[in-house]
Amino acid sequence: MSYAVSPTQIVTAFDPENGCLRKWGHNQIDGIRGPGSPATQLGTDMHAQLERWYRSIGEVPPDNSDAGILAQQGLAERAKPRPISPLWPGPEFSFKFSVGPVDYKGTIDLPYVSTELDWPYRAGVCVVEDHKSTSNLKYAKTSADLEKDHQRVI
């Protein structure tokens, strides 16, 4: 039997510092999952707030919950969203593809085709954004971290 892997699962299994194949196997093969943390739930809720905002083309703002406030902070630098390009199924969609013997899977938070407003991209470029959240900036990924991040590679 084969299993599709996500970028997060690759880190869970193979990260040099914290990776553990046994942990990945318990989770993905045996279906044994630990309880979610409050931080994980906050990130999930923040993603839902952002997805609702993008799907409504900016008409439904994030609410005043902790997740909504976190989402609002990330939106401070963003322009009001435009209608999603017909080339994409919309914000938050799943994908699956194979490269050789490995099947990959994941979810894309926000795909769009850039316009002249989307610096540093030239108009007509397919862009994929990944929402990131943290409850403490000391845990935030740096530009150097993101250059090596497994999600970026896939």
Side-chain angles (χ1 to χ4, degrees):
M1 178 177 276
S2 66
Y3 297 91
V5 295
S6 69
T8 303
Q9 291 174 27
I10 292 170
V11 172
T12 300
F14 299 108
D15 181 70
E17 294 177 23
N18 299 310
C20 177
L21 277 171
R22 182 175 290 168
K23 180 179 178 180
W24 177 86
H26 284 316
N27 189 309
Q28 298 302 316
I29 297 172
D30 301 332
I32 301 169
R33 292 177 170 78
S37 70
T40 302
Q41 188 60 53
L42 178 64
T44 299
D45 294 346
M46 183 209 68
H47 272 76
Q49 294 272 338
L50 290 171
E51 181 179 355
R52 187 182 72 203
W53 188 72
Y54 280 107
R55 284 193 187 279
S56 73
I57 313 172
E59 297 301 320
V60 181
D63 62 27
N64 288 322
S65 66
D66 288 345
I69 292 167
L70 188 60
Q72 290 172 36
Q73 291 169 346
L75 295 174
E77 301 296 320
R78 306 265 327 167
K80 183 176 177 182
R82 299 172 304 283
I84 300 296
S85 164
L87 296 176
W88 297 103
E92 191 81 16
F93 76 94
S94 297
F95 67 87
K96 187 174 179 181
F97 66 92
S98 298
V99 176
V102 180
D103 295 330
Y104 295 96
K105 67 177 181 176
T107 301
I108 293 177
D109 291 333
L110 180 63
Y112 60 93
V113 177
S114 64
T115 70
E116 63 280 351
L117 302 175
D118 296 309
W119 183 90
Y121 310 108
R122 66 183 187 283
V125 173
C126 295
V127 179
V128 175
E129 290 191 10
D130 185 36
H131 308 311
K132 297 293 184 194
S133 62
T134 182
S135 58
N136 188 324
L137 290 177
K138 75 178 184 179
Y139 301 116
K141 291 186 177 186
T142 65
S143 295
D145 294 334
L146 293 172
E147 284 292 321
K148 300 179 285 186
D149 190 89
H150 291 78
Q151 292 181 10
R152 181 177 186 267
V153 173
I154 292 176

